[in-house]
Amino acid sequence: MKKIQLFLTLCLAGWLVSCTLSKEVKLPAILSDGVVFQHGIEITIWGWADPHSKVIVEWQGKTHAVLSNGKGEWTLILDPLEPGGPYTMKVNDIEVNDILIGNVYFCSGQSNMELPIRRCMDVVAEYVKDYANPNIHYVKIPLTYNFEGPASDVRSADWQALTPEAAQQWGALCYFIAKGMYEQTGIPVGIINSSVGGSPVEAWMREGILINKDLETYWSTTQNKAWLDSIRYFNAHVYSDWQELHNSMPENKDAKWEKVDVFSRDWAVDSEGKALCGSHYFRHNIRLTDSQAASDAILHLGALVDADSVFVNGQYVGNTTYMYPPRNYKVPASVLKAGDNIIDIHLYVCNGAPGQFVADKEYSLETSCGSVSLLEGWEHRDGRRMPPRPGEVFLQYKAVGLYNGMVAPFLKLKHSGFVWYQGESNVGDKDYREKLLRMIADWRKAFGSSQDFYIVELASFEHSELHTAEDNGWVAMQDLQRQIASEEKGVYLIPNRDLGEWNDIHPQDKKTLGERAVNVILNH
C-alpha cells in the first residue's frame, strides 16, 4: 500500500511539474486584501484559472502547487494557523496583503444587522470617534440576489481595517461585536456582514429546503423571466414617475400658512381620517444671537414620514428619501445669521399612511452655544395632493435569491459562528419556526461544520412589551426565538427585547447589544 501511495504521489508531482502555469488566475472577491481566516482550522483557498493548468500559491514561507479542473476551478487546503498577522499571500502574480488569522463571524439578517454606525451616532459617538484597530477587519457584502442558481462570487467584497472614518459605514452591531471580542480575547476579528434590510427568512433559504407554499411561489414568480424583467422596469421608474407627476400638478394657490402642532394628525389626514398624500410644507422662524450664528450647527429633525428636503434661509442643507433614518443635517455658519432664520421642510407623503413627525425624538438646532428647541412654533401649508405612490416590488425579498447571491459564494470560507438578527419581516408567519430551523441546519451543513448559531432577540417596538403572545405577533416572535434557542443544540439567544425604542424599529443602542452578544459567544 505504501508503495502504491508513493507511486501516486510521484506521478502527481510529475504531472504538476509538466503542467503549464496558468496565464489567467482569478480569486473570489472575498479573498482580497484584508481577508481574515479562521484560526485553528484548515484554510481553504480557491479560484479560477485556465482549464487543466497549474496555480502556484506562496504562503507562510512555503510554495504549494494545485491543478485546475476542466472548468478552470481549483481549490487548495492549507494547514491551520494560530492567531496572528498581518501576512501576505501570493497566487501566481496576484498578491493579497494584510491577511489576518483570527475569529471570523458570519453576520446576517435584515435592517437591524445592516444598520450603520452613522445612524446610531446620537447614542454611540463617544465609543467610535477616536477608535482605530488594525486587528479588526470588516466587509459588507453588496446587495445581490440571484434566482438562476447559487452564485460562485459577488461583484465586490472590500475588507476594511477599523478606523473612525471607515466605521461610519459599518453595521453598528457588527462593530461592537468585533470591538468587544478583540478587547476580551486579544485575537484578530473578521466580520462578514451579509444582510439586507426588510428581508424575510425565506430569501436566505436554499431552494431545496423551502416549505411547499414558498416553493410554489418561487417557481411561479422568480422563474418567469418576462415577469422579472417587467418588475425591474417598474421598480426603476416608480419613484421618478411619481415625483414627475407630482411636479406637474398645479400648486394649491389657496393654501395659507397656518400655525400647527406638528405632532398632531391635524395636517396629515382629511376629514375622513385618510392620509393626505403628496407634499406638505413646514416653516419655522428661529432667532439666533451673534454667538449662536457664528459657527456651524446641526439641525435635528427627529424622524419624518416619509421623505424630506430641508432648507435654512433658502439654502439646501439635506434630504432623506424614506422614513426611518434620523434627520441630522449640518448647517454651515455661512448659512446662519444673527436674528431671524427660516427653516423650511418640504415633506413628501408617499406610501398611503399619514405623514408624521415622530414623537419623542430630538427636534432642535444644536449650536456651539447650546441647543434651541424646535418642538413648537411651526407653520404648515398644503402642497400638491397626490394618490399614494405604488409600492415597489422588492425582488430581493423573494425566496432563495439572497441565499444564492449572498451566502452561497462564501461556503468555502470557514468561520467561528453565525450571528442572525432577523424576524421583523416574518412577524405573524406561522411557518417561521420551521423555516428558521431548516435554514440553520442547512447553513451548517453547507459551510461544512456545526458552527454555533446566535439569534438576536427582536427589540420591543410600539409598546409591544405591554402585550401577550396571544394578541401581539411581535411578542410571539420574541418568545419563539427564545424557545428555539433553548431547545436546539448549538443555538443561543442574545437578549434584546428590553433595548427597544417604542417609536423606532431600529434602536440605536447597539453598544449594549454588542456587549451582550460578546458575553453569549464567549460563554458557550
Side-chain angles (χ1 to χ4, degrees):
M1 180 63 72
K2 290 183 178 180
K3 290 182 178 180
I4 294 175
Q5 290 177 336
L6 178 60
F7 174 76
L8 291 175
T9 300
L10 292 173
C11 287
L12 178 60
W15 188 22
L16 285 170
V17 168
S18 64
C19 286
T20 303
L21 188 67
S22 179
K23 295 180 180 178
E24 296 291 336
V25 174
K26 180 185 175 184
L27 293 174
I30 197 70
L31 298 186
S32 56
D33 289 351
V35 63
V36 184
F37 293 120
Q38 178 63 39
H39 76 89
I41 61 176
E42 291 179 332
I43 297 171
T44 303
I45 308 297
W46 73 100
W48 303 269
D50 298 322
H52 303 301
S53 62
K54 184 168 56 177
V55 177
I56 300 297
V57 177
E58 299 176 33
W59 173 244
Q60 297 289 299
K62 296 181 180 180
T63 299
H64 307 266
V66 61
L67 185 66
S68 64
N69 63 21
K71 297 180 180 180
E73 304 162 334
W74 58 270
T75 300
L76 178 66
I77 307 297
L78 300 170
D79 291 336
L81 289 175
E82 294 298 312
Y87 301 119
T88 295
M89 174 183 290
K90 192 170 183 181
V91 181
N92 282 20
D93 294 329
I94 300 173
E95 195 170 274
V96 183
N97 299 296
D98 197 22
I99 299 172
L100 299 180
I101 310 297
N103 286 314
V104 182
Y105 294 93
F106 191 86
C107 299
S108 190
Q110 52 184 111
S111 56
N112 268 300
M113 182 63 81
E114 196 171 26
L115 190 73
I117 282 283
R118 59 180 171 78
R119 288 268 299 274
C120 303
M121 290 298 280
D122 290 345
V123 173
V124 305
E126 64 181 297
Y127 308 104
V128 176
K129 60 182 180 180
D130 297 320
Y131 187 77
N133 191 330
N135 290 303
I136 296 176
H137 290 184
Y138 170 92
V139 59
K140 177 65 172 71
I141 306 306
L143 170 62
T144 309
Y145 60 88
N146 190 322
F147 301 117
E148 297 180 358
S152 60
D153 203 1
V154 291
R155 64 179 183 272
S156 64
D158 300 321
W159 289 91
Q160 294 178 316
L162 177 53
T163 66
E165 296 74 27
Q168 294 296 312
Q169 304 303 322
W170 289 27
L173 177 56
C174 297
Y175 174 93
F176 285 107
I177 289 176
K179 184 173 183 286
M181 286 297 297
Y182 184 82
E183 289 173 350
Q184 292 281 342
T185 66
I187 294 174
V189 180
I191 299 287
I192 302 170
N193 187 350
S194 186
S195 55
V196 174
S199 56
V201 67
E202 54 268 24
W204 298 99
M205 297 171 67
R206 183 172 55 84
E207 178 186 349
I209 63 167
L210 293 177
I211 64 172
N212 287 337
K213 69 175 185 179
D214 287 336
L215 185 61
E216 292 170 3
T217 302
Y218 169 74
W219 278 105
S220 64
T221 58
T222 58
Q223 299 305 293
N224 185 336
K225 292 187 177 181
W227 179 83
L228 288 174
D229 289 342
S230 69
I231 293 301
R232 291 188 179 103
Y233 180 87
F234 170 80
N235 287 343
H237 295 85
V238 63
Y239 294 94
S240 58
D241 285 354
W242 189 90
Q243 194 66 51
E244 183 177 337
L245 178 60
H246 170 274
N247 294 343
S248 70
M249 299 285 284
E251 273 282 4
N252 183 357
K253 295 182 179 179
D254 296 328
K256 298 180 180 179
W257 288 105
E258 297 180 349
K259 293 182 179 180
V260 67
D261 175 4
V262 292
F263 302 105
S264 74
R265 289 169 55 90
D266 296 343
W267 60 270
V269 299
D270 63 17
S271 58
E272 297 179 353
K274 296 181 180 178
L276 292 171
C277 293
S279 52
H280 295 262
Y281 302 111
F282 298 87
R283 71 182 183 187
H284 193 296
N285 185 5
I286 183 172
R287 293 188 63 84
L288 299 178
T289 65
D290 289 339
S291 57
Q292 288 173 325
S295 59
D296 296 347
I298 300 177
L299 180 60
H300 300 284
L301 292 176
L304 306 175
V305 179
D306 293 301
D308 62 82
S309 293
V310 180
F311 305 81
V312 176
N313 294 328
Q315 299 294 310
Y316 169 82
V317 296
N319 80 296
T320 304
T321 59
Y322 63 109
M323 62 183 288
Y324 291 117
R327 273 64 167 176
N328 297 315
Y329 299 128
K330 294 181 179 179
V331 183
S334 59
V335 172
L336 300 173
K337 59 184 179 180
D340 291 340
N341 293 262
I342 303 298
I343 299 170
D344 284 296
I345 301 174
H346 297 183
L347 184 67
Y348 300 93
V349 179
C350 318
N351 295 323
Q356 187 180 4
F357 281 58
V358 178
D360 293 343
K361 297 286 186 179
E362 179 70 17
Y363 294 86
S364 67
L365 182 69
E366 180 186 346
T367 76
S368 60
C369 299
S371 294
V372 181
S373 175
L374 297 174
L375 292 174
E376 298 177 343
W378 289 95
E379 292 182 310
H380 169 262
R381 179 171 67 84
D382 272 329
R384 298 176 174 96
R385 294 278 72 81
M386 287 282 291
R389 186 179 61 206
E392 180 181 353
V393 179
F394 293 97
L395 293 176
Q396 63 265 37
Y397 298 165
K398 301 298 182 181
V400 179
L402 297 181
Y403 174 85
N404 285 345
M406 298 178 66
V407 177
F410 311 113
L411 298 181
K412 294 181 180 180
L413 187 64
K414 307 306 178 185
H415 58 269
S416 184
F418 304 97
V419 184
W420 175 252
Y421 195 155
Q422 193 277 337
E424 296 95 334
S425 291
N426 287 95
V427 166
D429 184 349
K430 295 181 179 179
D431 297 312
Y432 185 75
R433 176 188 174 88
E434 179 65 21
K435 292 178 182 181
L436 183 58
L437 290 175
R438 288 188 183 194
M439 192 202 79
I440 292 172
D442 192 64
W443 279 21
R444 284 171 160 171
K445 181 179 179 181
F447 278 91
S449 60
S450 57
Q451 297 101 324
D452 288 336
F453 197 97
Y454 304 98
I455 297 174
V456 181
E457 182 184 33
L458 294 194
S460 292
F461 174 59
E462 287 285 3
H463 297 300
S464 56
E465 71 279 3
L466 304 180
H467 298 275
T468 65
E470 287 72 26
D471 63 11
N472 186 275
W474 202 270
V475 172
M477 175 62 77
Q478 292 170 325
D479 292 344
L480 177 60
Q481 291 174 318
R482 285 182 173 269
Q483 183 182 22
I484 291 174
S486 67
E487 295 176 355
E488 297 298 316
K489 183 178 180 181
V491 179
Y492 305 99
L493 186 82
I494 300 171
N496 185 37
R497 71 171 68 190
D498 61 310
L499 297 179
E501 300 175 20
W502 77 265
N503 58 359
D504 200 333
I505 200 171
H506 303 116
Q508 293 191 36
D509 185 11
K510 295 298 191 282
K511 175 182 179 291
T512 301
L513 182 59
E515 291 170 347
R516 291 181 182 180
V518 170
N519 289 334
V520 172
I521 291 170
L522 292 179
N523 288 316
H524 294 93

